[in-house]
Amino acid sequence: ASGSGGPFTTYEAEIKTHVDAVRAHGGIPVIVSPMERRNFTDDGIVRPTLSDYAAGARQAAKELGVAFIDLNAMSIPFYRCARYHRTQESRRSHKTKPRSVSQGRKGGKFR
């Protein structure tokens, strides 16, 4: 029924179906959590919207004994940095060369 699913019900069941299929074909499954949406508060803070699905993916990976990549957690600082550069870009004159996201890192970590 519509609206009866969610990160800890049908989503985990769907993940298990895919993991089983990958294993059946001799593959090594890796679960990757969903990348967060580009959704900001009025103050420019990333508004998490998929954290329950990331938690569901993490839980499924643990239960199924497969590798897990938390792209959801990685995307939040990425968007924070991208938002910072977009704000900085709007303050520059049109003659200034724009910076890339990779140039906005200090010591290999996003600000």
Side-chain angles (χ1 to χ4, degrees), residues 17-30:
T17 299
H18 289 288
V19 167
D20 290 345
V22 169
R23 286 178 170 158
H25 287 86
I28 300 171
V30 176

Side-chain angles (χ1 to χ4, degrees), residues 10-87:
T10 56
Y11 183 64
E12 283 192 26
E14 185 70 22
I15 289 172
K16 183 179 182 329
T17 299
H18 289 288
V19 167
D20 290 345
V22 169
R23 286 178 170 158
H25 287 86
I28 300 171
V30 176
I31 296 174
V32 181
S33 65
M35 187 160 181
E36 192 53 74
R37 294 180 176 125
R38 292 184 59 202
N39 188 353
F40 300 94
T41 65
D42 291 338
D43 297 332
I45 307 297
V46 177
R47 181 181 293 127
T49 58
L50 298 172
S51 55
D52 284 348
Y53 285 91
R58 182 182 303 105
Q59 183 174 316
K62 185 176 181 180
E63 290 173 3
L64 297 169
V66 301
F68 175 67
I69 298 172
D70 197 347
L71 186 60
N72 185 268
M74 292 181 218
S75 64
I76 292 173
F78 171 78
Y79 286 140
R80 195 177 300 132
C81 183
R83 169 78 175 174
Y84 170 80
H85 286 296
R86 189 173 67 205
T87 302

